[in-house]
């Protein structure tokens, strides 16, 4: 059973080449899921089709730079650090992705998700960052 945050991330990145969000660590390492998350909301900011899944540092740095410049979301690491590790730190990813959820929650692409869902999302994020087997049933 998937948590609220994982399902939201899956919906936002669904249909993007090379992206399959199954967790909040290794699914995000190559940078494609982050770029897809941004592209879903603002396609003019990232040329998704030009991305190379093997260029981990570039993909991540592009996403970090665009997120900071366009949405004020501070990067949690660098593209080179993402490339160097086997997978990103789970707590850092939870915190970073929660910024995207907060930024994009009122978008028409989110099907009018309510503030109660936002509260549920943040509670699930907190719990999931502390316990590995927590999921929320909607």
């Amino acid at each position: 059973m998937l948590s609220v945050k994982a399902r939201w991330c899956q919906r936002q990145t669904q249909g993007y080449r090379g992206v399959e969000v199954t967790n909040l660590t290794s699914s995000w390492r190559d940078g494609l899921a982050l770029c897809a998350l941004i592209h879903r909301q603002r396609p003019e900011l990232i040329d998704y089709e030009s991305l190379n899944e093997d260029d981990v540092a570039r993909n991540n740095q592009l996403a970090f730079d665009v997120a900071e410049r366009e949405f004020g979301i501070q990067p949690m690491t660098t593209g080179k650090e993402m490339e160097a590790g086997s997978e990103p730190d789970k707590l850092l990813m939870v915190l970073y992705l929660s910024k995207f959820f907060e930024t994009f929650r009122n978008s028409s692409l989110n099907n009018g998700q309510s503030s109660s869902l936002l509260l549920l999302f943040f509670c699930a994020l907190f719990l999931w960052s502390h316990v590995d087997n927590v999921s929320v049933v909607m």
Side-chain angles (χ1 to χ4, degrees):
M1 192 170 309
L2 294 174
S3 65
V4 171
K5 79 207 141 303
R7 286 189 299 199
W8 181 81
C9 290
Q10 282 181 328
R11 281 193 308 271
Q12 297 305 305
T13 59
Q14 185 176 12
Y16 281 88
R17 170 188 50 82
V19 177
E20 184 178 355
V21 173
T22 58
N23 58 50
L24 292 178
T25 53
S26 60
S27 294
W28 300 87
R29 184 183 173 273
D30 65 12
L32 291 180
L34 283 174
C35 287
L37 191 59
I38 294 168
H39 186 266
R40 169 80 66 203
Q41 300 293 324
R42 298 275 306 276
E44 75 279 6
L45 297 177
I46 292 180
D47 179 6
Y48 189 84
E49 292 307 313
S50 72
L51 300 175
N52 177 347
E53 65 185 290
D54 296 326
D55 200 347
V56 173
R58 181 183 172 278
N59 297 341
N60 278 291
Q61 196 60 54
L62 174 63
F64 295 150
D65 291 346
V66 169
E68 183 174 25
R69 181 181 68 242
E70 298 294 328
F71 310 116
I73 300 174
Q74 296 290 323
M76 49 135 193
T77 187
T78 67
K80 288 185 185 221
E81 289 171 342
M82 290 287 277
E83 181 179 47
S86 60
E87 63 182 38
D89 179 78
K90 182 162 79 174
L91 182 55
L92 285 179
M93 287 307 300
V94 166
L95 294 172
Y96 192 64
L97 291 170
S98 70
K99 300 288 187 183
F100 283 93
F101 184 86
E102 185 178 331
T103 300
F104 298 149
R105 74 178 186 262
N106 293 323
S107 166
S108 62
L109 297 173
N110 289 326
N111 300 321
Q113 293 176 338
S114 67
S115 59
S116 61
L117 182 56
L118 178 63
L119 177 60
L120 184 59
F121 177 79
F122 283 114
C123 290
L125 280 176
F126 175 78
L127 290 172
W128 197 69
S129 68
H130 290 85
V131 180
D132 284 333
N133 294 321
V134 172
S135 64
V136 176
V137 177
M138 302 266 315

